[in-house]
Amino acid sequence: MKSDLEFPPFIPHRFYRNPHLQTIVGQFHSRIKTSYQAEQHSCRLPDNDLLILHDDCPGNWMVGDRVVILLHGLSGCHGSSYMIRMAHKLNQKGVRVFRMDLRGCGAGTGLAKSPYHAGSFLDLQVALERIESLCPRSPIGIAGFSLGGTITLNFLGRYATSSDLVDRAVVLNPPVQLSESVKVFGRPLFGRYQRHFVSNLIKHVRKSHLFKEHTHKISGENYPRSMLAFDDQFTAPLAGFESAEDYYSQCSPAEVLKEISVPTLIISAQDDPLVPVTTYQDALENLSDHDKVTLHLTRHGGHLGYISGPTSDPDPRWSDWRIMDWLLCESPESLAGQIRERSRQPLAQSA
């Protein structure tokens, strides 16, 4: 366990100062090459759907040692590069890691009738309860990426006894106002991001035989050309919402951040092309006197990028090591105070 940590600023690699390069290259830039050796656990959900946990347990782990659950982002899975990297790095520190495939993703393809979405926080509860049974007396932390971070924040803010299951959480680039993040795709030159996500989501739907009865919603004249259309035609009705806007309204965690009672770190970048920094402004105001949630904004980093120049970190993935710092430190409250003090400095100096 670490103490007296320094939380260094993020300085982007000189070749990747552009936020789009950080975002795109960040998905592939990885030095971790490891074979799959996880044990799979299935979790039965209250509506009879299933999700899969991938259990990466280091040989030196003992009952009572730390456990971390990782949640992937939109169109990701347990095999996403950031999930593999974090599991490997945490394993090296003796931490047992559970990579969670959200409904119908990864090894869970074809096992769920309902889609995963930003409000799937009760699925996280079920997964945590399963982990608690597998790892009695072990402290559990959460690391959520993008949409996985949104789910994490919803769980912590909307589930009253979340602090009984976890002792800390960290989320990277989480959309906190879903409607504002969807609007981003309407900007000039952002169509490629939208086509990427919509195409992957439609492929995901078509892979599952359980969704065949709904394929008319994503074919022919109904083929969605935008995230808003996909959520309106597919996500919202199948998840029990009246419309995409109803879904966005009910599942945006910004309004419940103040209800979080677990030490939680939110890391995001001012230049994130997919999550507007303005969506954090209200959160900053609402959290000014709330000591459980710490928001750290960097000037650069893109979306899940954070490829840095030369630093004292073992590799250029700055965000990986900050996540490690938070999850492994003795006192997240003390580290939060240090991060807040840095955030009060002019951003040009602190990021």
Side-chain angles (χ1 to χ4, degrees), residues 284-303:
L284 276 168
E285 294 176 3
N286 293 336
L287 297 176
S288 59
D289 59 350
H290 185 58
D291 63 358
K292 293 299 183 183
V293 178
T294 301
L295 175 62
H296 183 67
L297 291 174
T298 61
R299 180 179 293 278
H300 304 286
H303 189 77

mmCIF file of all heavy atoms in Angstrom, residues 284-303:
data_model
loop_
_atom_site.group_PDB
_atom_site.id
_atom_site.type_symbol
_atom_site.label_atom_id
_atom_site.label_comp_id
_atom_site.label_asym_id
_atom_site.label_seq_id
_atom_site.Cartn_x
_atom_site.Cartn_y
_atom_site.Cartn_z
ATOM 1 N N LEU A 284 -18.885 20.620 -10.423
ATOM 2 C CA LEU A 284 -17.880 21.282 -9.612
ATOM 3 C C LEU A 284 -18.528 22.162 -8.555
ATOM 4 O O LEU A 284 -18.138 22.169 -7.384
ATOM 5 C CB LEU A 284 -16.960 22.126 -10.498
ATOM 6 C CG LEU A 284 -15.781 21.412 -11.165
ATOM 7 C CD1 LEU A 284 -15.152 22.306 -12.223
ATOM 8 C CD2 LEU A 284 -14.751 21.020 -10.128
ATOM 9 N N GLU A 285 -19.549 22.912 -8.958
ATOM 10 C CA GLU A 285 -20.237 23.792 -8.021
ATOM 11 C C GLU A 285 -20.964 22.992 -6.950
ATOM 12 O O GLU A 285 -20.906 23.302 -5.759
ATOM 13 C CB GLU A 285 -21.228 24.685 -8.772
ATOM 14 C CG GLU A 285 -20.562 25.671 -9.721
ATOM 15 C CD GLU A 285 -21.560 26.477 -10.510
ATOM 16 O OE1 GLU A 285 -22.777 26.301 -10.271
ATOM 17 O OE2 GLU A 285 -21.147 27.281 -11.362
ATOM 18 N N ASN A 286 -21.626 21.929 -7.359
ATOM 19 C CA ASN A 286 -22.397 21.116 -6.417
ATOM 20 C C ASN A 286 -21.505 20.331 -5.463
ATOM 21 O O ASN A 286 -21.945 19.928 -4.383
ATOM 22 C CB ASN A 286 -23.309 20.141 -7.174
ATOM 23 C CG ASN A 286 -24.401 20.853 -7.951
ATOM 24 O OD1 ASN A 286 -24.776 21.973 -7.614
ATOM 25 N ND2 ASN A 286 -24.892 20.224 -9.004
ATOM 26 N N LEU A 287 -20.260 20.096 -5.874
ATOM 27 C CA LEU A 287 -19.368 19.274 -5.061
ATOM 28 C C LEU A 287 -18.361 20.093 -4.261
ATOM 29 O O LEU A 287 -17.470 19.528 -3.639
ATOM 30 C CB LEU A 287 -18.606 18.295 -5.971
ATOM 31 C CG LEU A 287 -19.453 17.277 -6.721
ATOM 32 C CD1 LEU A 287 -18.573 16.453 -7.654
ATOM 33 C CD2 LEU A 287 -20.199 16.368 -5.770
ATOM 34 N N SER A 288 -18.528 21.407 -4.276
ATOM 35 C CA SER A 288 -17.539 22.256 -3.613
ATOM 36 C C SER A 288 -17.404 21.959 -2.129
ATOM 37 O O SER A 288 -16.332 22.120 -1.546
ATOM 38 C CB SER A 288 -17.891 23.734 -3.816
ATOM 39 O OG SER A 288 -19.187 24.004 -3.275
ATOM 40 N N ASP A 289 -18.472 21.526 -1.497
ATOM 41 C CA ASP A 289 -18.410 21.217 -0.065
ATOM 42 C C ASP A 289 -18.665 19.736 0.214
ATOM 43 O O ASP A 289 -19.061 19.354 1.305
ATOM 44 C CB ASP A 289 -19.420 22.064 0.708
ATOM 45 C CG ASP A 289 -20.856 21.851 0.238
ATOM 46 O OD1 ASP A 289 -21.042 21.191 -0.811
ATOM 47 O OD2 ASP A 289 -21.784 22.339 0.901
ATOM 48 N N HIS A 290 -18.428 18.908 -0.827
ATOM 49 C CA HIS A 290 -18.665 17.468 -0.689
ATOM 50 C C HIS A 290 -17.320 16.762 -0.736
ATOM 51 O O HIS A 290 -16.648 16.755 -1.775
ATOM 52 C CB HIS A 290 -19.563 16.971 -1.818
ATOM 53 C CG HIS A 290 -19.955 15.521 -1.687
ATOM 54 N ND1 HIS A 290 -20.609 15.011 -0.597
ATOM 55 C CD2 HIS A 290 -19.767 14.471 -2.526
ATOM 56 C CE1 HIS A 290 -20.818 13.710 -0.770
ATOM 57 N NE2 HIS A 290 -20.312 13.362 -1.931
ATOM 58 N N ASP A 291 -16.883 16.168 0.375
ATOM 59 C CA ASP A 291 -15.518 15.646 0.454
ATOM 60 C C ASP A 291 -15.368 14.208 -0.003
ATOM 61 O O ASP A 291 -14.268 13.653 0.060
ATOM 62 C CB ASP A 291 -14.982 15.787 1.883
ATOM 63 C CG ASP A 291 -15.782 14.977 2.898
ATOM 64 O OD1 ASP A 291 -16.777 14.324 2.503
ATOM 65 O OD2 ASP A 291 -15.417 14.986 4.088
ATOM 66 N N LYS A 292 -16.429 13.586 -0.484
ATOM 67 C CA LYS A 292 -16.331 12.194 -0.926
ATOM 68 C C LYS A 292 -16.009 12.063 -2.413
ATOM 69 O O LYS A 292 -15.489 11.043 -2.846
ATOM 70 C CB LYS A 292 -17.626 11.438 -0.613
ATOM 71 C CG LYS A 292 -17.895 11.240 0.872
ATOM 72 C CD LYS A 292 -16.792 10.429 1.532
ATOM 73 C CE LYS A 292 -17.092 10.165 3.000
ATOM 74 N NZ LYS A 292 -15.988 9.440 3.672
ATOM 75 N N VAL A 293 -16.341 13.077 -3.189
ATOM 76 C CA VAL A 293 -16.115 13.023 -4.629
ATOM 77 C C VAL A 293 -15.083 14.078 -5.023
ATOM 78 O O VAL A 293 -15.229 15.253 -4.680
ATOM 79 C CB VAL A 293 -17.417 13.244 -5.416
ATOM 80 C CG1 VAL A 293 -17.142 13.236 -6.922
ATOM 81 C CG2 VAL A 293 -18.447 12.181 -5.065
ATOM 82 N N THR A 294 -14.046 13.630 -5.708
ATOM 83 C CA THR A 294 -12.987 14.518 -6.157
ATOM 84 C C THR A 294 -12.948 14.509 -7.681
ATOM 85 O O THR A 294 -12.881 13.446 -8.300
ATOM 86 C CB THR A 294 -11.620 14.063 -5.606
ATOM 87 O OG1 THR A 294 -11.672 14.066 -4.177
ATOM 88 C CG2 THR A 294 -10.515 14.992 -6.079
ATOM 89 N N LEU A 295 -13.025 15.675 -8.286
ATOM 90 C CA LEU A 295 -12.972 15.811 -9.739
ATOM 91 C C LEU A 295 -11.624 16.386 -10.139
ATOM 92 O O LEU A 295 -11.236 17.463 -9.700
ATOM 93 C CB LEU A 295 -14.099 16.727 -10.225
ATOM 94 C CG LEU A 295 -14.122 17.067 -11.716
ATOM 95 C CD1 LEU A 295 -14.303 15.812 -12.559
ATOM 96 C CD2 LEU A 295 -15.235 18.070 -12.005
ATOM 97 N N HIS A 296 -10.884 15.647 -10.975
ATOM 98 C CA HIS A 296 -9.579 16.105 -11.449
ATOM 99 C C HIS A 296 -9.632 16.255 -12.961
ATOM 100 O O HIS A 296 -9.767 15.269 -13.688
ATOM 101 C CB HIS A 296 -8.477 15.126 -11.061
ATOM 102 C CG HIS A 296 -7.110 15.596 -11.474
ATOM 103 N ND1 HIS A 296 -6.506 16.693 -10.916
ATOM 104 C CD2 HIS A 296 -6.244 15.129 -12.416
ATOM 105 C CE1 HIS A 296 -5.316 16.877 -11.475
ATOM 106 N NE2 HIS A 296 -5.143 15.944 -12.391
ATOM 107 N N LEU A 297 -9.553 17.492 -13.431
ATOM 108 C CA LEU A 297 -9.572 17.776 -14.857
ATOM 109 C C LEU A 297 -8.169 18.099 -15.338
ATOM 110 O O LEU A 297 -7.466 18.921 -14.737
ATOM 111 C CB LEU A 297 -10.490 18.964 -15.156
ATOM 112 C CG LEU A 297 -11.991 18.761 -14.972
ATOM 113 C CD1 LEU A 297 -12.722 20.080 -15.177
ATOM 114 C CD2 LEU A 297 -12.524 17.707 -15.926
ATOM 115 N N THR A 298 -7.751 17.449 -16.409
ATOM 116 C CA THR A 298 -6.482 17.767 -17.053
ATOM 117 C C THR A 298 -6.762 18.623 -18.287
ATOM 118 O O THR A 298 -7.879 18.613 -18.819
ATOM 119 C CB THR A 298 -5.736 16.498 -17.474
ATOM 120 O OG1 THR A 298 -6.538 15.773 -18.422
ATOM 121 C CG2 THR A 298 -5.455 15.599 -16.272
ATOM 122 N N ARG A 299 -5.766 19.359 -18.735
ATOM 123 C CA ARG A 299 -5.963 20.179 -19.937
ATOM 124 C C ARG A 299 -6.044 19.288 -21.180
ATOM 125 O O ARG A 299 -6.864 19.504 -22.062
ATOM 126 C CB ARG A 299 -4.816 21.184 -20.086
ATOM 127 C CG ARG A 299 -4.966 22.074 -21.323
ATOM 128 C CD ARG A 299 -3.835 23.077 -21.434
ATOM 129 N NE ARG A 299 -3.885 24.056 -20.354
ATOM 130 C CZ ARG A 299 -4.665 25.142 -20.359
ATOM 131 N NH1 ARG A 299 -5.470 25.365 -21.388
ATOM 132 N NH2 ARG A 299 -4.647 25.987 -19.357
ATOM 133 N N HIS A 300 -5.184 18.292 -21.250
ATOM 134 C CA HIS A 300 -5.125 17.393 -22.404
ATOM 135 C C HIS A 300 -5.462 15.966 -21.962
ATOM 136 O O HIS A 300 -5.621 15.689 -20.786
ATOM 137 C CB HIS A 300 -3.736 17.420 -23.038
ATOM 138 C CG HIS A 300 -3.281 18.788 -23.445
ATOM 139 N ND1 HIS A 300 -3.784 19.433 -24.550
ATOM 140 C CD2 HIS A 300 -2.368 19.633 -22.886
ATOM 141 C CE1 HIS A 300 -3.207 20.616 -24.666
ATOM 142 N NE2 HIS A 300 -2.344 20.764 -23.669
ATOM 143 N N GLY A 301 -5.572 15.067 -22.937
ATOM 144 C CA GLY A 301 -5.809 13.662 -22.616
ATOM 145 C C GLY A 301 -6.804 12.981 -23.520
ATOM 146 O O GLY A 301 -6.820 11.754 -23.625
ATOM 147 N N GLY A 302 -7.695 13.772 -24.170
ATOM 148 C CA GLY A 302 -8.699 13.160 -25.027
ATOM 149 C C GLY A 302 -9.648 12.272 -24.236
ATOM 150 O O GLY A 302 -9.886 12.478 -23.049
ATOM 151 N N HIS A 303 -10.184 11.244 -24.899
ATOM 152 C CA HIS A 303 -11.120 10.320 -24.257
ATOM 153 C C HIS A 303 -10.430 8.976 -24.056
ATOM 154 O O HIS A 303 -10.110 8.281 -25.032
ATOM 155 C CB HIS A 303 -12.373 10.142 -25.105
ATOM 156 C CG HIS A 303 -13.464 9.378 -24.411
ATOM 157 N ND1 HIS A 303 -14.276 9.944 -23.443
ATOM 158 C CD2 HIS A 303 -13.861 8.084 -24.520
ATOM 159 C CE1 HIS A 303 -15.123 9.036 -22.998
ATOM 160 N NE2 HIS A 303 -14.891 7.896 -23.630
#
